[in-house]
Amino acid sequence: MSPAGPPASRVRFGIGLLFGLLVALAGGWALLLGARTQLEDDWTTRRAIVAVNALGSLVGQATDDAGVRKLVSAWQGTHPPGTRVRVIRGTTLEASTDPADTGAKAAPRRLAREEKPLYDQAQRLRAGVDSNREGGAPKAEIEVERQGGARQVAAPLEADGKVTGMVRLLVPAEPSTGGRSPVQAVLLLVFALVLYAVAAWLLPPRTALLATVSTALFCLAAAFFVGGELRALGLAERDGQRALASTVAAEVGRARALTGASAIDGGAWDTDLARKPHGLVTGAGAIDREKGEAQAQRVRRGALRSLLTLAALGLLALVVVGFGGAHRVGRALVTNRQAYAYIAPAIMGTTLLVFFPFLYGIALSFTDSNIYNTNLPLTELWVGLRNYATILGDFSFLRRAADGHWVFNYLNFYWTFLFTVIWTITNVVWGVSFGLLLALVLNTKGLALRPIYRVLLILPWAMPNYITALIWKGMFHRQFGVVNQVLAIFGFEPLSWFDTPFTSYLTALATNGWLSFPFMMVVSLGALQSIPADLYEAARVDGASRWQQFRAITLPSLKPALVPAVILSVVWTFNMFNIIYLVTAGEPGGSTEILITQAYKYAFQRYQYGYAAAYATIIFGILLVYGTIQNRVTRATEAL
Amino acid sequence: MAPSRREERTPHWILHTFLAATVIYTVYPVLWVLTIAFSGKQSLAIADLPADPTKLDRFRAVLPWPTRFAFGNFSSVMADQPFARWMLNSAIVAIGATIVGVALSCTAAYAFSRFKFPGRRFGMMSFLVSQMFPGTLTLIPLYIIIVQWLGLGSTLSGLVIVYATTSIPFSVWMLKGYFDTIPKELEEAAVMEGAGPGKIFWSIVLPLAKPAIAITALFSFMTGWNEFIQAATFMDKEEMYTAPVGLRFFVGGFQQQWGYFAAGSIIVSIPVVLLFLYLQKYLVSGLTAGSVKG
């Protein structure tokens, strides 16, 4: 590569600064725009929930139907014109301020057939309330639908601790407070570039100096930008809290006016979807200063993390471009454009669907992601190395069963790992030795029927392996399976194969042994056929025994073909999902689970995505270590 | 210890006995599934045992030959169950994935074999390492990409893309190994005659690499035809199931329709087994060429 001359590096660091700042500032600005929209959206929803909770508690206090209708229409009067209220009990629309429900359709009336979704929604909410009272994973007691800026919210009606119906409220859209203008970011960008131009013109053109100046300018601009944006975000959050508090205060005021009661806890109306109060607002509608500050802090910290990541990326861009990395990459792309054109489609495809999912999976392993929080961004679920610590730090090999006895804890990672290793070794040893033996036999000169044997012996490889697995599972059936029938012919008792870990392991071994030896047989056969016959001829002339010939000629000639095949089959067997999952399914009690099926069960039966990802990442680590060691050993022996 | 000449050859009848025993071991499960399929029943017993079975009765229950032949299982699976539709889905997905995957792998493997360029070693190494990625790890992200980002949930094209790309790393390694064994002199001669790189690749390298391409295509096809976890994850609608997902239906969970399963298994296995046996002459050269020459 050409040495980067000083004048060139002036321009390069300038371009690097431009790119770096574009990444940091434009990216950050777009990110914050999204964050603010989200923030505003959340506050709108929360205010709508306050309103529906306030309405619900008022309607719940009303003594009779007429009272409900009077209250609803009075309530409507104190709210903006677009507000719509509907009260539903059972199959009856009890009160409504919806213009559609006038004339013949005026409340009270039965719900029409096409209004079944309303009835269903009320049932869902009631089920949610009941399930939350019994404990367990929180379910939604309030449903929110976004209709542009407007919110359609529904909450259960309760009387004497029982759900009696549902109230639906449409809160009209409010004018948006508007985004943040990009002027500040653009000014910072231009300012930094102008300063750099002046500095580069004045200073001696030395690479180190230019790098320092451009990095310093980048950091300065980024710091200004981040500081300003975080302050603005904090203010937006504060505004949102104030708006919420004033909504609560207003609802409390209206409730007092409508019912005449004086002790009303408005803070209890500001709840999440499971109707648990956030506790941000006091009963009278003032902000709890401490909690408000803590929440603003949290919002700012989340944004800070993302902005710093972007700034780091920007700095990286600056350094790469500045020191000529981008230039070199560009040159390599042009010189080897033909090669890159050939590999580009494959690389793009695998990047999107092989490597990116892999990296995403690894990122997932550092989070607490599970079925209840999939909609949150990964950064909010970050738990660091906790999953790994839980998996690798679990040394409880015994646990107490329901009847008080101590039993072996098969869910322990180390047991599963040990079992996986045993499983892999036995299978590969069987596959290699049996496959090699068959290859040697089939390679006998002048043996009759050779092609027929070959076809029949390859058959297990050709069969889809999930079918093989299910066939063998059927054959090991306790009552009807043929294996037990054969045992009976020889006078043995039928076995419940899947009831003890050892027999269960045998069923999986039999299945995998059946389908894995043909691969080794074919590979060995190919290698055997490529050994020149005169080698053996010469050995025989020298009086070598067959065993000596095997050791001195056959094995060394097989090695180049067998070593990669063994590595491949170790990796395949280690991750042989179908056989374990379909044949033993981990029975009994998870004892015959291998690592990959265990990871699958954590992900798709216990829905602990983060934990399962950590599990799978450990599997990858184990295989990588194995591959590296194997590679070293192979090379070392080849060097001898 | 000097061995005598006589010990050097094992008598052929011993070899035949050994091979015959092995053949029984490999063929028995296949015959078993055939028997269940042609029994016309849903039970997984070959024959019903009397209350006090004799040795002969028990032997009958092990012999893979149905007590009576019936084609009911086959006709029910094809007519009453949406199995034909599932087979069609599988065929489209497997063939599509094979064509796309092999085309991309061939070009990439050729570049990796013939050109020297920055990133070559890194590319091959990352393809090798990707073989160690546990499928469970990538299943959730793949679901997010295919279903949520690309909106290809419950579509055949989504599965084609997934199968084609996930088969690329293995295919590239196999094909590169084979391309490496094709002597460069052939191409150099073609260059002398004025052929461009595209023409060389298309009319010299590809025809010579037929065994490796056939095997790569076979493996890609088998992956697409047999895969069931990703298919089960991405395909929500019953009419979009692939054959493996549908087949698992019959004996998974509370269903125990072994007859349907056996008949379906045979229908599903026939194309892939025939293809495999047809292409097996390439198996040895295609698989081992690269590794033997190192």
Side-chain angles (χ1 to χ4, degrees):
Chain A
M1 297 298 143
S2 71
S9 58
R10 251 183 201 154
V11 179
R12 262 184 220 152
F13 277 105
I15 296 173
L17 186 61
L18 172 66
F19 270 116
L21 284 176
L22 272 182
V23 170
L25 303 192
W29 186 75
L31 197 99
L32 285 170
L33 199 65
R36 292 170 73 105
T37 319
Q38 181 70 41
L39 208 61
E40 196 176 309
D41 202 67
D42 289 349
W43 285 117
T44 312
T45 304
R46 239 167 112 170
R47 290 202 301 274
I49 289 175
V50 168
V52 81
N53 277 329
L55 177 63
S57 78
L58 289 180
V59 174
Q61 285 163 25
T63 43
D64 57 355
D65 297 6
V68 169
R69 273 189 291 285
K70 219 173 92 196
L71 184 110
V72 164
S73 75
W75 200 81
Q76 167 87 33
T78 61
H79 281 76
T83 311
R84 307 258 181 278
V85 182
R86 279 172 143 187
V87 179
I88 289 145
R89 281 192 214 268
T91 55
T92 314
L93 179 69
E94 200 170 77
S96 171
T97 62
D98 197 315
D101 298 327
T102 44
K105 295 179 77 181
R109 63 173 170 84
R110 279 182 68 84
L111 287 174
R113 181 175 290 272
E114 66 273 12
E115 287 169 323
K116 173 117 190 326
L118 294 180
Y119 172 80
D120 291 341
Q121 189 176 35
Q123 295 301 315
R124 269 204 306 279
L125 296 180
R126 200 184 59 182
V129 173
D130 290 346
S131 136
N132 287 350
R133 280 204 186 126
E134 284 165 14
K139 290 226 173 76
E141 298 183 12
I142 293 177
E143 290 188 358
V144 182
E145 250 174 74
R146 285 172 175 69
Q147 299 177 345
R151 292 289 184 282
Q152 176 72 260
V153 278
L157 278 177
E158 281 177 289
D160 305 328
K162 270 179 141 170
V163 179
T164 55
M166 168 181 84
V167 51
R168 260 169 79 89
L169 170 66
L170 180 76
V171 181
E174 285 166 43
S176 162
T177 46
R180 195 169 153 75
S181 88
V183 173
Q184 199 201 357
V186 173
L187 278 181
L188 272 173
L189 180 77
V190 172
F191 194 58
L193 285 177
V194 169
L195 271 184
Y196 173 79
V198 172
W201 185 56
L202 289 177
L203 293 170
R206 285 221 303 275
T207 312
L209 203 59
L210 289 169
T212 318
V213 169
S214 56
T215 309
L217 282 172
F218 175 85
C219 291
L220 210 63
F224 264 106
F225 173 74
V226 171
E229 290 301 317
L230 285 187
R231 215 172 62 88
L233 193 68
L235 290 180
E237 163 72 19
R238 194 69 54 78
D239 286 348
Q241 291 179 6
R242 273 202 207 108
L244 177 78
S246 71
T247 304
V248 171
E251 291 298 345
V252 169
R254 282 162 192 153
R256 279 199 187 122
L258 286 172
T259 61
S262 58
I264 291 172
D265 180 12
W269 292 337
D270 172 33
T271 66
D272 62 9
L273 292 182
R275 290 204 302 167
K276 278 225 299 273
H278 287 293
L280 180 64
V281 184
T282 63
I287 304 167
D288 183 326
R289 191 170 293 274
E290 222 167 86
K291 280 194 176 151
E293 189 46 50
Q295 189 166 324
Q297 194 82 34
R298 206 160 42 238
V299 169
R300 278 201 299 262
R301 204 174 302 139
L304 180 64
R305 210 179 293 152
S306 315
L307 286 177
L308 285 185
T309 315
L310 271 176
L313 278 179
L315 195 58
L316 190 71
L318 164 63
V319 171
V320 168
V321 175
F323 282 103
H327 178 69
R328 247 168 280 156
V329 168
R331 277 242 314 244
L333 278 179
V334 173
T335 335
N336 302 298
R337 57 182 177 282
Q338 207 177 15
Y340 289 122
Y342 271 103
I343 63 169
I347 295 292
M348 281 192 291
T350 47
T351 304
L352 177 65
L353 292 174
V354 177
F355 296 106
F356 174 75
F358 171 69
L359 294 178
Y360 188 97
I362 289 187
L364 206 59
S365 74
F366 295 106
T367 70
D368 176 32
S369 175
N370 57 52
I371 195 169
Y372 302 117
N373 60 20
T374 38
N375 51 346
L376 292 176
L378 291 187
T379 44
E380 296 207 0
L381 304 171
W382 208 256
V383 294
L385 291 170
R386 200 180 74 191
N387 289 328
Y388 293 94
T390 319
I391 296 169
L392 297 175
D394 176 17
F395 293 105
S396 56
F397 295 105
L398 295 174
R399 65 184 169 83
R400 214 177 257 286
D403 58 359
H405 286 292
W406 287 99
V407 291
F408 198 87
N409 179 16
Y410 290 123
L411 294 183
N412 184 288
F413 169 79
Y414 293 100
W415 163 258
T416 313
F417 179 46
L418 178 72
F419 181 79
T420 313
V421 170
I422 295 174
W423 157 257
T424 309
I425 292 177
T426 45
N427 270 301
V428 174
V429 166
W430 162 256
V432 172
S433 48
F434 196 56
L436 185 56
L437 180 66
L438 282 170
L440 287 172
V441 172
L442 283 179
N443 201 35
T444 313
K445 292 244 154 39
L447 188 73
L449 301 174
R450 262 204 304 183
I452 295 179
Y453 284 131
R454 236 186 85 155
V455 165
L456 289 178
L457 291 176
I458 268 183
L459 203 58
W461 190 1
M463 290 282 285
N465 68 10
Y466 68 100
I467 291 181
T468 307
L470 290 169
I471 291 175
W472 280 85
K473 188 174 176 66
M475 296 207 303
F476 278 109
H477 193 274
R478 190 189 178 286
Q479 197 179 354
F480 304 113
V482 286
V483 177
N484 276 347
Q485 306 288 358
V486 172
L487 285 183
I489 292 179
F490 294 106
F492 293 102
E493 285 298 304
L495 268 175
S496 298
W497 288 92
F498 300 106
D499 279 2
T500 68
F502 183 66
T503 51
S504 190
Y505 156 73
L506 285 185
T507 62
L509 186 64
T511 312
N512 200 54
W514 186 78
L515 62 82
S516 63
F517 77 84
F519 169 68
M520 283 296 172
M521 184 185 84
V522 168
V523 170
S524 319
L525 201 55
L528 283 178
Q529 281 163 358
S530 68
I531 304 174
D534 42 357
L535 276 182
Y536 291 104
E537 209 60 54
R540 265 200 292 278
V541 170
D542 290 345
S545 72
R546 286 189 73 190
W547 177 243
Q548 283 169 333
Q549 288 176 28
F550 182 74
R551 285 278 307 272
I553 302 174
T554 315
L555 272 188
S557 322
L558 282 176
K559 218 180 109 194
L562 270 188
V563 167
V566 168
I567 297 178
L568 259 187
S569 86
V570 165
V571 174
W572 284 343
T573 317
F574 202 88
N575 285 339
M576 184 48 90
F577 180 88
N578 281 3
I579 302 303
I580 296 289
Y581 183 72
L582 294 174
V583 177
T584 75
E587 288 300 312
S591 58
T592 56
E593 213 78 77
I594 57 172
L595 291 171
I596 187 96
T597 57
Q598 191 73 281
Y600 181 84
K601 287 201 170 159
Y602 275 114
F604 296 98
Q605 287 180 6
R606 303 183 193 118
Y607 302 108
Q608 297 171 308
Y609 302 136
Y611 192 83
Y615 219 95
T617 307
I618 293 175
I619 301 176
F620 170 70
I622 294 170
L623 284 174
L624 196 62
V625 168
Y626 162 77
T628 318
I629 293 175
Q630 176 82 56
N631 203 9
R632 287 264 163 79
V633 171
T634 317
R635 271 204 209 140
T637 49
E638 260 164 22
L640 285 175
Chain B
M1 43 172 196
S4 68
R5 273 273 147 146
R6 182 154 285 166
E7 274 176 357
E8 293 218 352
R9 299 235 180 278
T10 320
H12 278 192
W13 66 267
I14 294 184
L15 298 183
H16 279 296
T17 318
F18 171 67
L19 285 174
T22 314
V23 164
I24 291 178
Y25 169 58
T26 56
V27 170
Y28 185 85
V30 180
L31 294 178
W32 179 84
V33 80
L34 277 169
T35 311
I36 302 290
F38 283 107
S39 72
K41 294 180 298 186
Q42 299 300 333
S43 154
L44 50 73
I46 292 174
D48 295 323
L49 284 179
D52 189 19
T54 62
K55 280 241 154 95
L56 199 65
D57 290 330
R58 290 200 184 278
F59 183 69
R60 179 69 199 86
V62 171
L63 191 70
W65 193 259
T67 42
R68 66 184 178 85
F69 270 91
F71 291 90
N73 281 333
F74 288 93
S75 51
S76 304
V77 156
M78 293 310 279
D80 308 342
Q81 311 279 349
F83 198 73
R85 174 72 212 241
W86 296 340
M87 292 274 294
L88 181 69
N89 289 344
S90 268
I92 295 172
V93 168
I95 293 173
T98 307
I99 293 172
V100 176
V102 170
L104 297 188
S105 306
C106 275
T107 51
Y110 182 69
F112 277 120
S113 166
R114 285 300 190 264
F115 298 113
K116 296 269 174 290
F117 54 90
R120 176 168 165 272
R121 216 182 115 70
F122 176 76
M124 286 308 280
M125 280 319 280
S126 38
F127 275 178
L128 183 67
V129 169
S130 78
Q131 291 301 293
M132 299 172 183
F133 296 173
T136 317
L137 185 60
T138 52
L139 198 52
I140 296 168
L142 267 182
Y143 181 83
I144 294 173
I145 294 173
I146 293 294
V147 178
Q148 294 178 359
W149 294 0
L150 302 178
L152 293 175
S154 276
T155 62
L156 298 179
S157 46
L159 271 192
V160 168
I161 295 176
V162 171
Y163 291 163
T165 47
T166 46
S167 73
I168 286 178
F170 182 70
S171 307
V172 167
W173 264 94
M174 288 231 319
L175 288 168
K176 181 202 174 266
Y178 199 88
F179 288 155
D180 284 347
T181 66
I182 299 175
K184 268 196 170 161
E185 291 76 33
L186 287 173
E187 288 157 68
E188 280 158 11
V191 170
M192 302 291 277
E193 285 169 23
K199 188 162 169 57
I200 293 177
F201 174 61
W202 190 252
S203 49
I204 297 182
V205 176
L206 281 191
L208 283 174
K210 218 170 94 186
I213 292 173
I215 290 307
T216 312
L218 173 69
F219 285 171
S220 295
F221 180 82
M222 281 173 69
T223 314
W225 187 256
N226 296 343
E227 203 284 333
F228 89 103
I229 297 169
Q230 285 169 348
T233 313
F234 300 145
M235 299 311 214
D236 275 341
K237 299 190 190 117
E238 202 178 310
E239 80 260 20
M240 298 310 282
Y241 280 178
T242 55
V245 180
L247 214 48
R248 170 117 165 78
F249 229 48
F250 294 137
V251 288
F254 300 106
Q255 308 241 48
Q256 291 292 325
Q257 297 162 320
W258 283 95
Y260 288 161
F261 163 76
S265 297
I266 287 162
I267 300 172
V268 168
S269 305
I270 284 175
V272 56
V273 168
L274 286 185
L275 195 66
F276 194 92
L277 295 183
Y278 172 69
L279 290 176
Q280 59 127 348
K281 60 177 180 244
Y282 294 129
L283 218 49
V284 171
S285 52
L287 259 180
T288 50
S291 49
V292 171
K293 303 273 160 54

